[in-house]
Amino acid sequence: NTEEPVKGIFYGFEYVTMRDTRVRPTHRAADSQVAVAGDRGTILRFAKLLADWGCRCTLVALYAVPGTKPVLV
């Protein structure tokens, strides 16, 4: 296949936990939530959760091609 990949536009972040029994309730509540680029309130809330001691959660970047659903990268 010689087609060039379509580059997506940064959309935001998805908060992802380890999804096991050790995940704190406050982190579990945020699991799979998306912070759209520019949503400072949600991004700051995610940052506070990630700063908790021993946090194993992560943020996954989401990209979208105009007119399509955002995808995990």
Side-chain angles (χ1 to χ4, degrees):
N1 188 356
T2 59
E3 293 180 31
E4 288 291 316
V6 177
K7 294 188 179 184
I9 298 169
F10 179 70
Y11 181 80
F13 294 105
E14 179 178 7
Y15 189 89
V16 180
T17 71
M18 296 300 288
R19 299 179 180 153
D20 61 18
T21 58
R22 294 175 45 205
V23 175
R24 296 173 180 97
T26 52
H27 295 233
R28 186 175 295 113
D31 188 46
S32 299
Q33 290 185 10
V34 172
V36 177
D39 179 358
R40 290 184 58 139
T42 303
I43 292 171
L44 288 173
R45 184 168 54 87
F46 288 173
K48 287 179 183 178
L49 290 171
L50 291 167
D52 283 348
W53 184 85
C55 177
R56 301 171 298 137
C57 302
T58 190
L59 295 180
V60 177
L62 297 171
Y63 289 84
V65 174
T68 66
K69 183 178 177 181
V71 295
L72 296 174
V73 175

